[in-house]
Amino acid sequence: MTKSDMDVPPKGGFSFDLCRRNDMLSKKGMNPPKYRKTGTTIVGLVFNDGVILGADTRATAGPTVCDKNCEKIHYIAPNIYCCGAGTAADTEAVTDMVSSQLQLHRYHTGRDSRVVTAMTLLKKHLFNYQGHVSAALVLGGVDVSGPHIHTIYPHGSVDTLPYATMGSGSLAAMSVFESGYKEGLTRDEGVKLVSDAILSGIFNDLGSGSNVDVCIITKGHKEYLRNHMTPNPMSFINPKGYTFSKKTEVLQSKITTLREQVEVIEGGDAMEDFGGGGGVVVVTGRSGVGWSVVMMISNNLLKIITVDGRPIHLFIIDTVSSLLSCWLLDMAIYDGKEDS
């Protein structure tokens, strides 16, 4: 390797250095972590005054429904919205990133965002990652050039159509569009057609379910119909509600009584035996688990301490001599009496 090759800075993007390690772990039986994926039905169509977007509200992680009422219609700009299918984290991250860039663009230019600008930013980002960002999008909005519907695939390819469907339930929704779509739809006709397309995905695709969300975008106006239809209500609801015990359940309890380890006995004017005056008494003694240290300040009172009846050592430090003189007295104290 030449010196010029070593000076080249590393390129950005995904790192595939651990692919061999992950392949070896999978062959040994280790299952990779599952990510939250939206098996989805999302649609969009153009009607005479603008565009209508629709989506279901079920999010799945493998065979498990992990969210029954998630939002799959994401904000891009006041006049642009985007439906997302694929990995939930990818769709939210990509749409939030483009929404932030368009906001800065509006601040700089003072003009409304155009749908083609959002489409270009999204497809360039997805193309750079070659499909590893699992986001399949239906982009819709109204700008100075009229209403627009675009589909953006995870690899970065784009379709521009008067109506579009994506997700695991896209085939069922497309059958409804192909049989019922016509040019010049009114608002009510468009909302009904979009709702029927989402319902076909809900009832014919296991990855789609729960409710129907609809977003209507016209020139200078947006209407977001959250839970516009609820075709799968709970079949049984207890009229009395559900109550839960407020007490904390204890699986096992064990009470351990602590015994006294240190006994303190007051003993007269014992400080006078060590020259009188104030002093600092440091008492150390060996207990069952190690050394215990007690510090006391006393004028004419010595607190005699016994630790489990074992010998202790007294360090008498005279404060008058600025803590420079120290005597060690070995004393065996038991029941308040001196043995030596």
Side-chain angles (χ1 to χ4, degrees):
M1 179 180 296
T2 62
K3 187 177 183 300
S4 61
D5 295 335
M6 297 176 60
D7 295 338
V8 176
K11 296 182 179 180
F14 282 104
S15 174
F16 299 95
D17 297 338
L18 300 179
C19 289
R20 293 184 179 180
R21 185 207 65 173
N22 296 338
D23 183 61
M24 180 268 295
L25 292 176
S26 63
K27 290 180 179 179
K28 290 188 175 182
M30 178 180 176
N31 295 324
K34 295 181 179 179
Y35 49 86
R36 183 177 172 187
K37 187 175 181 180
T38 56
T40 301
T41 302
I42 54 174
V43 302
L45 61 81
V46 177
F47 73 106
N48 55 3
D49 293 328
V51 299
I52 302 175
L53 302 175
D56 69 304
T57 62
R58 171 179 289 183
T60 58
T64 305
V65 178
C66 58
D67 193 347
K68 295 181 179 180
N69 198 26
C70 68
E71 294 187 29
K72 301 182 183 180
I73 303 178
H74 306 281
Y75 170 86
I76 299 293
N79 60 321
I80 306 172
Y81 276 74
C82 181
C83 300
T87 303
D90 289 343
T91 58
E92 292 181 7
V94 170
T95 54
D96 287 346
M97 178 195 66
V98 172
S99 175
S100 176
Q101 293 178 357
L102 291 179
Q103 180 72 58
L104 296 175
H105 187 264
R106 288 195 299 275
Y107 287 153
H108 181 70
T109 61
R111 302 177 181 177
D112 291 337
S113 300
R114 300 186 63 176
V115 182
V116 68
T117 306
M119 181 265 292
T120 303
L121 292 173
L122 288 169
K123 75 173 184 179
K124 288 183 66 175
H125 179 78
L126 295 177
F127 177 77
N128 287 338
Y129 290 99
Q130 293 292 302
H132 293 285
V133 175
S134 179
L137 309 173
V138 173
L139 182 69
V142 179
D143 55 20
V144 294
S145 59
H148 303 277
I149 288 288
H150 302 286
T151 59
I152 307 170
Y153 293 86
H155 288 81
S157 59
V158 177
D159 287 336
T160 301
L161 301 167
Y163 58 89
T165 65
M166 292 198 79
S168 56
S170 61
L171 295 180
M174 182 58 73
S175 66
V176 175
F177 274 172
E178 289 182 343
S179 61
Y181 182 81
K182 60 182 180 181
E183 293 186 359
L185 287 173
T186 64
R187 178 187 182 277
D188 294 338
E189 291 174 343
V191 171
K192 184 179 184 306
L193 186 60
V194 166
S195 300
D196 291 342
I198 299 298
L199 289 176
S200 66
I202 289 175
F203 291 120
N204 294 282
D205 173 48
L206 293 178
S208 307
S210 297
N211 308 320
V212 178
D213 288 348
V214 176
C215 183
I216 304 119
I217 304 173
T218 56
K219 185 69 173 179
H221 180 69
K222 178 268 304 179
E223 185 178 1
Y224 192 168
L225 304 179
R226 175 71 169 152
N227 293 340
H228 174 61
M229 298 182 67
T230 56
N232 293 313
M234 294 183 63
S235 58
F236 173 77
I237 300 177
N238 190 350
K240 299 180 180 180
Y242 299 93
T243 58
F244 302 92
S245 177
K246 295 182 179 181
K247 66 179 182 179
T248 303
E249 298 293 338
V250 179
L251 300 180
Q252 183 179 5
S253 63
K254 180 180 179 180
I255 300 175
T256 303
T257 305
L258 301 178
R259 61 188 181 91
E260 186 177 357
Q261 297 290 334
V262 178
E263 179 183 1
V264 179
I265 303 174
E266 296 184 359
D269 297 332
M271 286 296 293
E272 297 178 358
D273 298 336
F274 303 108
V280 180
V281 182
V282 182
V283 184
T284 65
R286 184 177 294 279
S287 63
V289 294
W291 288 92
S292 61
V293 179
V294 179
M295 299 184 65
M296 300 178 297
I297 298 178
S298 175
N299 289 326
N300 294 316
L301 181 63
L302 172 64
K303 291 184 179 294
I304 304 173
I305 299 180
T306 62
V307 182
D308 293 337
R310 298 174 181 269
I312 61 174
H313 305 283
L314 294 180
F315 294 87
I316 311 300
I317 303 174
D318 190 4
T319 57
V320 178
S321 59
S322 303
L323 303 179
L324 295 177
S325 59
C326 178
W327 297 272
L328 172 62
L329 300 178
D330 291 329
M331 304 178 64
I333 300 177
Y334 185 74
D335 292 335
K337 298 180 181 179
E338 296 185 7
D339 294 336
S340 60

